Structures are given as structure tokens and as C-alpha cells.
Amino acid sequence: MSAVIENHHDEHHHGPAKGLTRWLYTTNHKDIGTLYLWFSFAMFLIGGAMAMVIRAELFEPGMQIVEPEFYNQMITLHGLIMIFGGVMPAFVGLANWLVPMMIGAPDMALPRMNNLSFWILPFAFFVLLSSLFMEGGAPNFGWTFYAPLSTTYAPPSVTFFIFSVHIMGASSIMGAINVIVTIMNMRAPGITLMKMPLFVWSWLITAYLLIAVMPVLAGAVTMMLMDIHFGTSFFNAAGGGDPVLFQHIFWFFGHPEVYIMILPAFGIVSHIIETFARKPLFGYTSMVWAMLSIAILSFVVWAHHMFTVGMPLAAELFFMWATMLIAVPTGVKVFNWVTTMFKGSITYETPMLFACAFVVLFTIGGFSGLMLAIVPADFQYHDTYFVVAHFHYVLVPGAIFSIMAAVYYWIPKWTGNMYDERLGQLHFWLSFISVNVTFFPQHFIGLAGMPRRYPDYALQFADWNMVSTVGAFLFGVSQILFLFIVLKTVIGGKKATDQVWEGARGLEWTVASPAPYHTFSTPPKVD
Amino acid sequence: MLQILKRSINKLIITTSAFFVAIFSNNLNADWFALNMTRGSTAVSEEVFELHMLIFWICVVIGVIVFGVMFYSMWRFTKKKNPEPSDFHESTKLEIAWTVVPFLILIFMAIPASQTLIKIYDDEEGDINIHVTGYQWKWQYEYLEDDISFFSNLSTDLDEIYNLVPKGEFYLQEVDEPVVIPAGKRVRFLITANDVIHSWWVPDFAIKQDAIPGFVNTAWTVVDKPGIYRGKCTELCGKNHGFMPVVVKVVEQDEYDSWVNAKKEEAYKLAELTEKDWTAEELSARGEGVYQVNCVACHQVNGQGIPGIFPALAGSDIVMNDKERNIEILMEGVQGAAMNSFDYLSEVELAAVITYTRQAWGNAENGDGEIVLPKDIVDYKKPKI
Ligand SMILES: [Cu+2]
């Protein structure tokens, strides 16, 4: 027994291994967090480049730079890469870095699986991207891949797409299991569930959502595979199958999926707002309950993506009402954030700017979401740019702003250096302005009647499309600045204190900056 | 890929300069004021519009209040103005208030929304029932009472799409043959699809219904004002998803009646054509038109197809040498592939398009060069003993 303990003890004095093998073999949560974050940034740039192709084509009416079939490949890959390669791995990266430090654990509970769940991801995306060079081109049926466009009518590369979705799913499930096991078993004594930092709470709920719905996605793509190669007819009407069944299965995964992409953001923003308002978060308990109710409701609203498929009246009414209900817990969260700022003592460093923008712009996305829930009105909004505007408002200034806020907020802890505040502020203002220039006009374009996934459009939509494209390119360029700021911080900069931010609370701020390779080998005391 | 990239960069430079020209010349016939949903032209679409505006204004009011408090706090409680933060971080009363009040507002919204929805779902027989079928990439309209059936294809010229000539006023919103309905009558649409899912949307009627293979969805409308109403396909359906508009022409009853008679006349003439003695040239000439409308999307103008997805017809063994199989493919489609049955085309059109593909692109010289007559199609359709 004592030998084992001895061994453990020894390891703590080894730093990270040298060279490439450090990253290939690592089981350290901080290293793996870093890998996830860099990987997601790379995907963000690739998916972003595709968005630029899309926006460039839409700059003016007429086909200018790509053909419609390539355009469809771009919208499909843009969506898949941003969701599965950009946002989700970024949140897993943050979970890896932060969850153990926030609960006073030495590492994730299942470190080897942690390594595996990261390293299969680059492989999945390599397969997905290589489909661009296959005969017939990459998947071209939209990220929602509705059958039978994605089965009977799909290019041959669909099989590779299915394979890569399976790998992404396996990676997410492993990541989720790891988070749950860590949180449930490795909290330092004294950290009861209702004392956990909100980011940890948000990830605990997210992880359960992931485990619940990723297998459903796997089931859907497997049924597609059977239809394509083994002669079944799950989704093929000619063989007695049901194309609408596909949509039910897909959105049973897809709706919880959108909360998977926003719950961790709720956690992040809560921490940042309380830190820079120098005031404890308002209504901690109600925040937890709100997240739980949002997560549970997310399982009974899926068909609000399908109001036009011809469901019976009773189903339409049920899904409308259930969807509207989500506004209640979401509202509670927004009110709590605003009240946290009330009577605070606020300063506006870059993370706080992003967090404030998050609250406002995410709420705007919430408003358009509420409008979309109203079935008769949705008959007019559905599958137009109004929907595109809505989900980009919750995903870009929502999820992605929260990720950027998190990077600015915790990077001093990760690297030991302060980022350049002036450049950070510049990055914020460029992003904030351009994101609105890009996506706000899309509300107009959609209401005026432009459907989504159109490579070309009627003349009355020309003006606002042009504005949107200009905004998109500005947003794209601003993110190069972000890359520069992060690199600059990694290389050097003003040394960060351990506390970093005056108002910061939580265990991660009690360890040194940069955080040592191993933290909390013995659990901290928490009262 | 590389080519695409190169072309993209060139075009980007051109479009960027075009942008500045556009901004300063100000002669776009586009519209900065196309900001809101249309009121439309039916009682239902009016109601939907009112509902949309109601929800919109409720959101605006909530937004003003919430953001008002937020911006005030952001301005008033900075560290400079309020160095000592309060410790106010819990209030059950507040939490209950901001749970209950939004809930009440939601009920207030849900009532009119549900009422309108129930009205839209009130689905009886129409005075006129039209079967709408989505195809890659066109719409078919069949009038159940009158035995009229035709296709409606985008009529915008490819040259307009590829910026070789100026774009017309109804760019991408015009078709060769609109669906015609009489004013003031209850018209019911029975919507389905033949291949992938499409969606039939006419904003002015507030109708958007998915067209799904194997399902028939219904929608109805009563339009009082004659005119032309334009809509679109709103479910991604493949490469020409953006190029299959919907155009509805609403006319007075008497005009509608004479249109119905003319369509019936046309069908009668077509039957006569089937009997006619055709020459290879006549058939080919007619077939080229049919090919342009029905086949180019996949097999391309030059008959070369798209490698890996759509096979070339130029040089295809079936097309050059196997008349029977060629007819069969057109009549039955190819199971499990994007090549669907074209049995809904008339005998003349089928014979013409097959003959055209057997004659064009050197196929006649390299193959048996035989033509297919409308009579052959009629024979094929006869029950086999
Ligand atoms: Cu379509």
C-alpha cells in the first residue's frame, strides 16, 4: 500500500513530458483541455472560411463564385463543423481545464478515456473534410440531413459522413461520462451539490443531456446506413418507410443538442458577471433550478422544428405551449444576471464586455425564439432567414461569445500571463459590431421572405444581404486578431497574480498562476 | 477544388469592386424597406400578421424594460460611482414574481395563437381541389375536378442567373406556367412530393406546407383579390432548391372557366399529336425542349452528367443501343437512385426526349441511331400478357 502512495507522490514532481509525445499520450486534464481548445479554434477557422464562401456568394443576386451543388456542401459542412468541431469541443476543453480545479480534484476521473475521447476527434473531422475531394463531393443535404435527400439522393460520401458522426458521438459520450464521474465522485469534502460553482452545475446537466441524446443521433445515422447499403426502408416512402420519422428522431437529438451548446455558456457568464460586479451571483438556487427545468423541457419540444410537416392540431398545440414554457426559466436566468449587476461595483474588462453582450444578444435570440414558437407565425418564419438570424444570435454572440469570454477570463490562470487589455477591448468591439451587422439584417431578409439554404435570391433581398456579407467578413477578420491576442498571451505578457481578478471567487483562483501541472493532489479545505 | 478557389478569388475581387459601385451609384432596384412580414391577401394571412406584430411588440416592451434596468445598472453601478457593492443576492419574492409574470404574459400570447391555429386547421373540402406535387426541381399541379395537369418550371434564363444579361423584375420568381385559381372560392391544396421533401410556400396566403413523399398534407385558402402571388420552395431539396418558385395566378371566375376550357382543348390536341407520323428531326427538335426542362439539371446540357452522381447520357450504351431498356428507365426510374420515373410526361414528350438523347452528342453515329415514336410508349404502357 505504502509503495503505491510513494509512487503517486513521485509523479507529482515530474512535469509534463517533452515534445510531441507529451500531447499524444497525455492524460493530464490541463493538457487535454488545451488540446480541445486549440482543436476547436482550428475548426472555428475552417468552418468560418466556409461561412465566408457562403456570404461571398450571397453578396449579390446571381451565381458568382460557386455552383449551387458546391454551395450546398458549404452550408452542410459549415453547420457540422461549427457545432461538432467548434462549439462542443471548446466547451469540453473548458470543462477539462476547469471542472477539476473548481471542485478541488487532482484530475478527471477517467484520464485515459479522456485522452482517447480527444484523439479520435481529429480523425473524425479528417474523414468529414476529405469527403470534399471524393467523387460526387461532400455531404450536401444540410447539417440536419433530412432523409431521403441524405439517403436515396445523397452523394456516395454520405457513408463517410455517417462514420464520422459516429466517431464524434463516441467522443462526446466519453467526454460526458468523464465529466459526470468526476463531478459525482471527486468533489473536495465540503463541496455539496448546492455549493458547486455554476459552471460545474451547467456541465453536469449538459453531460446528462449528451448521454441521453448522442445515442439517438447514432441510431438515426445507423438507420440511414441501413437504408443506403442494406436495403431497409426506414425513411423510404416507396418501401413503406416514413421520411417524417427521420425528423422526429433527428430533433429528439437536435433540440437537447442546442441546450448542450448553451448551458455551459450560462455557467461561464454567471461566473464572469459576479466577478466583475464584485457581488455574489443573484439567486444561485434559482439558477440551478432554471437550468434543470430547461434541460428537462428540452426533451418535450423537439417538434417545434417541424410545425410544417403536417402534424395533427393537438400535437402542434402541445409543442407550441411546451416551447413557450421554456421562456420562463430562460427569463429567470436573464433577470438574475441583470440583478447581479444591480448595486454592484462594476468594471469592464474584456471578459465582462463579452458577458454583457452575451446577455443582451442572447436575449434577442430568445425573443425571436419565442416568436418562432407561435405556430401560425412560424408558418411564415419557418425555413427563412429569420430562423438563420435566430439561431446565429444564440450561437455566435451566445455560445461563441461565452467561449471567448471564458478564454479571456481564465487565460491568465492557464498561462500565467495577462492578455493585452487594449487589444482585447478592440477585439470585443470589432466582434460586437460586426456580429450585429451580419445577423441583424437577416431578420429583415427572412421576414421579407427569403428562404434559408438558397444560393441565389430575388432582387428585393439584395441590399440587406450585401450588408450582412460585409459584416461577416469583418467578423471573420476580427477573429484573426483573437488568435494573435491568444498567441501573444501564451508567449509572454504582464505576469498574472494568483487571484487575477479582484472579485473572483472559487478554488481555481487559489492555486498559482500559471496553474501547476498537477493541482489539488490533496483535497483543499472548503467550508 | 483548386479551380474553384482560383475562380473564387477572381470573382471576389470583381464583386468587391461591384459593391462600391453599387453603394455609390444607388441604382439597385432592391429595397431597403423590405423589413417586415407581408400582410398578405387573405383573412388568414392578415390574422397571422397581426399575431406576429402582437408578439413582436410584447417582446419589444419586455426588452426595453429588461435592457433598461441592465443598462442603467451598467452605467450607475460602476466601480467609480459605487465603490462598495451591496451583498443583495437572494430574494424569493423577486424570483416568484419573475416566474409568475412571464408565465401570465405567455398565456396572454398563447390564446390568440391557438385560436388562429385552430382556424387554419379547419380543413374541409374545397370548391376546387388541387393536387400539388414537388419534384426535383419543379412543381406539378393536378386539378382533381377538371382532369387538368401540368408542370410549373422556373422560367428565368440561365444567362440572368450567371450574370451575362441584366436580371428581370421577377428574377427567380417567375415560372413557365403558373397555377391558376378563381377569386373568392375556397381552394384546397393536397401537397405531396415525388422524390425528396420540398415545401410549398406562398407568403401572401400564409401557407407553408411540406411536400413529403408518401404523405399528403393539406392547406386551404380563399383569395378575394385577383393578381399574381409569388412563393418558393422552402425545404432543402438538392442543388436547384433555390430555383423552383411557386407562382399562383388568381383570376375572376369567368376567366377561370375559359382557362379550364383552353387547358382541356390543349390536352385533346396532344392526343392527336400522338397519332401523327413523326420524323427523327421533328422528334429531336421537340425533345430538346423537353430535355432542357426535365433532364439538364442532372445530365447537363452537353449530356455529360456530373461524375459520380449523374451518369453521362452521351456515349451511354443504353442510350445508344438499347431502346427497350431506355424506355423502361424513363418509365420506371431506377430504384434507389435519383433517376425517377418520368411516366407523367406525355407519350409525345417521352418519345421526343428519348429520341433526342439517342440523336444528340454523336450518339446516333456511335450507336444504332433508332428513334422512338409516341406509339412505342403507348405500346409499352399496354398491359403485358
Ligand atoms: Cu424543392
Side-chain angles (χ1 to χ4, degrees):
Chain A
M1 199 58 213
S2 76
V4 175
I5 293 170
E6 207 62 3
N7 249 338
H8 254 122
H9 195 89
D10 262 345
E11 256 170 32
H12 295 156
H13 297 282
H14 294 308
K18 293 273 175 300
L20 194 65
T21 50
R22 161 174 179 189
W23 301 104
L24 276 178
Y25 300 154
T26 183
T27 53
N28 178 289
H29 73 104
K30 301 187 180 79
D31 280 356
I32 294 175
T34 306
L35 285 171
Y36 265 113
L37 287 168
W38 277 114
F39 175 77
S40 82
F41 194 75
M43 289 296 130
F44 178 57
L45 291 185
I46 294 175
M50 291 173 175
M52 296 302 112
V53 173
I54 295 169
R55 280 316 321 171
E57 179 55 57
L58 294 176
F59 182 68
E60 274 187 311
M63 296 307 300
Q64 282 90 19
I65 62 172
V66 294
E67 293 296 321
E69 52 269 39
F70 189 70
Y71 182 86
N72 286 351
Q73 297 171 31
M74 286 294 105
I75 58 164
T76 306
L77 291 179
H78 165 71
L80 291 168
I81 289 178
M82 287 306 202
I83 291 170
F84 293 102
V87 174
M88 290 171 69
F91 281 137
V92 181
L94 292 171
N96 257 294
W97 255 105
L98 299 170
V99 167
M101 293 208 296
M102 285 179 161
I103 62 175
D107 204 305
M108 296 293 279
L110 308 162
R112 283 170 208 274
M113 191 167 87
N114 207 5
N115 174 291
L116 180 65
S117 71
F118 172 75
W119 276 112
I120 59 178
L121 263 192
F123 182 66
F125 283 90
F126 174 75
V127 170
L128 185 63
L129 283 170
S130 66
S131 67
L132 270 173
F133 303 94
M134 292 176 191
E135 222 184 34
N140 55 8
F141 28 68
W143 85 274
T144 51
F145 52 101
Y146 281 7
L149 188 62
S150 63
T151 53
T152 317
Y153 295 83
S157 63
V158 64
T159 307
F160 292 87
F161 156 82
I162 291 172
F163 185 47
S164 80
V165 169
H166 268 306
I167 304 174
M168 295 170 202
S171 163
S172 294
I173 292 173
M174 286 193 277
I177 291 175
N178 215 342
V179 168
I180 293 176
V181 178
T182 308
I183 296 174
M184 293 316 247
N185 295 298
M186 297 179 59
R187 277 169 297 155
I191 306 190
T192 58
L193 282 180
M194 290 313 278
K195 276 191 188 155
M196 286 197 309
L198 269 185
F199 180 72
V200 179
W201 252 117
S202 70
W203 243 109
L204 183 63
I205 299 169
T206 303
Y208 275 109
L209 288 182
L210 276 168
I211 289 184
V213 301
M214 291 315 280
V216 178
L217 176 67
V221 293
T222 307
M223 288 155 98
M224 282 169 59
L225 189 77
M226 308 272 284
D227 272 11
I228 295 168
H229 292 294
F230 304 114
T232 57
S233 292
F234 288 110
F235 309 131
N236 179 4
D242 182 348
V244 178
L245 173 68
F246 176 87
Q247 298 183 24
H248 282 293
I249 300 175
F250 179 83
W251 287 114
F252 190 82
F253 146 79
H255 200 79
E257 168 69 21
V258 309
Y259 293 116
I260 288 167
M261 293 190 285
I262 204 66
L263 285 177
F266 290 166
I268 292 166
V269 167
S270 303
H271 289 297
I272 292 176
I273 290 182
E274 66 174 348
T275 295
F276 293 97
R278 293 171 179 73
K279 192 174 155 244
L281 185 72
F282 194 85
Y284 171 89
T285 322
S286 73
M287 287 300 228
V288 172
W289 282 109
M291 284 197 287
L292 278 171
S293 3
I294 290 175
I296 290 164
L297 281 174
S298 79
F299 286 103
V300 293
V301 297
W302 76 89
H304 69 211
H305 299 270
M306 304 164 51
F307 282 144
T308 61
V309 301
M311 287 186 292
L313 177 62
E316 305 260 312
L317 288 173
F318 171 79
F319 284 108
M320 169 165 76
W321 296 334
T323 304
M324 293 173 79
L325 263 190
I326 293 192
V328 175
T330 313
V332 167
K333 303 205 69 88
V334 174
F335 301 141
N336 278 327
W337 287 323
V338 171
T339 317
T340 306
M341 292 185 215
F342 186 75
K343 292 201 172 169
S345 179
I346 311 175
T347 51
Y348 296 100
E349 285 84 347
T350 309
M352 183 61 169
L353 289 175
F354 273 105
C356 291
F358 171 95
V359 175
V360 175
L361 301 182
F362 172 78
T363 305
I364 292 178
F367 286 145
S368 56
L370 182 59
M371 295 172 76
L372 283 159
I374 307 294
V375 182
D378 182 67
F379 288 159
Q380 297 284 48
Y381 309 137
H382 178 72
D383 264 351
T384 67
Y385 261 80
F386 191 75
V387 177
V388 177
H390 158 70
F391 68 73
H392 280 92
Y393 258 84
V394 289
L395 278 173
V396 184
I400 292 181
F401 270 23
S402 84
I403 294 166
M404 290 173 177
V407 169
Y408 283 112
Y409 184 56
W410 279 292
I411 208 172
K413 182 55 67 190
W414 301 338
T415 63
N417 304 322
M418 295 303 287
Y419 61 87
D420 185 327
E421 185 61 51
R422 272 197 16 239
L423 288 181
Q425 304 249 345
L426 178 66
H427 172 228
F428 167 77
W429 284 109
L430 284 174
S431 301
F432 177 78
I433 291 167
S434 59
V435 96
N436 285 299
V437 174
T438 308
F439 296 115
F440 208 81
Q442 296 186 358
H443 292 111
F444 305 147
I445 301 171
L447 289 175
M450 176 162 158
R452 67 192 283 204
R453 295 166 166 169
Y454 264 34
D456 193 6
Y457 49 83
L459 301 179
Q460 70 265 33
F461 310 125
D463 290 345
W464 290 111
N465 265 303
M466 203 173 259
V467 173
S468 179
T469 295
V470 172
F473 274 86
L474 185 59
F475 186 79
V477 171
S478 317
Q479 303 326 311
I480 308 293
L481 176 61
F482 182 47
L483 175 65
F484 175 77
I485 296 171
V486 170
L487 286 175
K488 191 163 173 253
T489 316
V490 171
I491 292 165
K494 209 176 98 219
K495 291 289 159 249
T497 60
D498 294 355
Q499 171 69 21
V500 184
W501 311 109
E502 186 189 7
R505 303 152 202 254
L507 285 177
E508 77 267 34
W509 307 109
T510 61
V511 303
S513 296
Y517 201 53
H518 295 285
T519 37
F520 299 122
S521 305
T522 46
K525 282 238 162 6
V526 184
D527 31 53
Chain B
M1 271 300 279
L2 227 95
Q3 237 184 346
I4 291 175
L5 214 72
K6 244 197 240 153
R7 241 181 341 144
S8 313
I9 294 172
N10 274 341
K11 292 289 172 62
L12 202 69
I13 296 170
I14 297 172
T15 32
T16 323
S17 31
F19 170 67
F20 289 104
V21 175
I23 290 259
F24 294 112
S25 66
N26 204 14
N27 62 358
L28 275 179
N29 57 352
D31 204 345
W32 289 105
F33 298 100
L35 303 176
N36 202 355
M37 182 191 286
T38 172
R39 240 174 202 288
S41 314
T42 67
V44 169
S45 72
E46 288 264 341
E47 210 167 294
V48 168
F49 177 80
E50 295 298 340
L51 192 58
H52 154 74
M53 290 315 285
L54 173 73
I55 312 293
F56 171 73
W57 284 116
I58 292 176
C59 288
V60 168
V61 170
I62 299 174
V64 167
I65 296 170
V66 175
F67 297 149
V69 176
M70 177 168 166
F71 295 150
Y72 171 76
S73 310
M74 287 175 69
W75 166 79
R76 171 65 187 77
F77 301 109
T78 58
K79 195 177 176 189
K80 259 205 211 101
K81 294 184 194 154
N82 192 38
E84 277 309 310
S86 90
D87 190 45
F88 173 52
H89 69 276
E90 230 166 4
S91 159
T92 312
K93 274 192 205 130
L94 266 181
E95 300 286 353
I96 290 175
W98 62 46
T99 308
V100 172
V101 172
F103 189 77
L104 295 178
I105 298 177
L106 287 178
I107 291 179
F108 176 70
M109 294 182 190
I111 291 170
S114 306
Q115 282 168 340
T116 305
L117 186 64
I118 290 167
K119 208 176 285 176
I120 293 175
Y121 261 70
D122 163 29
D123 185 37
E124 345 159 345
E125 282 279 298
D127 299 324
I128 290 169
N129 296 284
I130 302 176
H131 208 278
V132 180
T133 311
Y135 288 76
Q136 279 181 325
W137 292 278
K138 59 191 167 229
W139 296 99
Q140 184 188 28
Y141 299 103
E142 294 164 287
Y143 290 64
L144 298 189
E145 286 80 15
D146 285 309
D147 225 6
I148 296 172
S149 157
F150 58 89
F151 282 90
S152 181
N153 292 283
L154 176 73
S155 61
T156 301
D157 205 53
L158 270 182
D159 285 351
E160 287 180 47
I161 295 174
Y162 286 94
N163 313 305
L164 302 173
V165 298
K167 300 183 190 347
E169 187 185 357
F170 297 112
Y171 177 69
L172 297 187
Q173 306 196 88
E174 50 201 351
V175 294
D176 53 2
E177 191 162 8
V179 52
V180 179
I181 60 171
K185 286 282 162 66
R186 187 178 171 105
V187 182
R188 187 156 171 258
F189 300 98
L190 303 138
I191 302 168
T192 185
N194 185 56
D195 35 48
V196 299
I197 302 177
H198 303 263
S199 188
W200 197 79
W201 182 31
V202 182
D204 285 311
F205 309 163
I207 292 181
K208 185 184 283 146
Q209 267 300 323
D210 290 359
I212 305 171
F215 286 76
V216 178
N217 283 327
T218 56
W220 62 270
T221 192
V222 179
V223 193
D224 289 325
K225 217 171 105 226
I228 303 230
Y229 300 94
R230 293 168 204 276
K232 301 171 185 72
C233 175
T234 45
E235 183 59 63
L236 178 60
C237 57
K239 117 181 158 28
N240 286 350
H241 169 49
F243 305 95
M244 49 179 292
V246 172
V247 179
V248 184
K249 190 172 166 192
V250 180
V251 297
E252 298 293 1
Q253 183 66 41
D254 45 350
E255 196 181 331
Y256 177 73
D257 292 336
S258 49
W259 176 80
V260 168
N261 288 333
K263 285 307 280 184
K264 285 184 170 162
E265 187 94 342
E266 215 174 272
Y268 178 72
K269 284 215 181 100
L270 198 67
E272 269 188 340
L273 275 178
T274 313
E275 305 295 320
K276 171 175 154 26
D277 272 332
W278 290 86
T279 66
E281 287 70 35
E282 284 172 331
L283 274 175
S284 260
R286 198 180 178 92
E288 185 169 2
V290 182
Y291 186 84
Q292 299 298 353
V293 174
N294 293 289
C295 322
V296 276
C298 300
H299 295 293
Q300 307 297 311
V301 179
N302 55 11
Q304 293 299 338
I306 297 178
I309 326 178
F310 307 122
L313 298 186
S316 149
D317 190 46
I318 294 175
V319 178
M320 290 191 306
N321 302 315
D322 192 345
K323 207 162 93 174
E324 271 66 52
R325 176 75 187 129
N326 199 343
I327 296 177
E328 193 182 39
I329 288 184
L330 270 279
M331 293 298 294
E332 314 296 337
V334 179
Q335 254 296 312
M339 179 67 200
N340 278 301
S341 160
F342 283 89
D343 61 1
Y344 50 78
L345 296 179
S346 73
E347 286 84 8
V348 175
E349 285 171 317
L350 279 165
V353 74
I354 298 176
T355 302
Y356 170 70
T357 56
R358 296 175 76 78
Q359 300 279 319
W361 318 303
N363 278 359
E365 291 73 40
N366 300 327
D368 60 21
E370 284 179 33
I371 67 169
V372 172
L373 292 170
K375 183 168 80 36
D376 296 328
I377 309 290
V378 175
D379 287 345
Y380 180 91
K381 282 186 179 170
K382 285 200 184 116
K384 304 191 175 54
I385 323 145

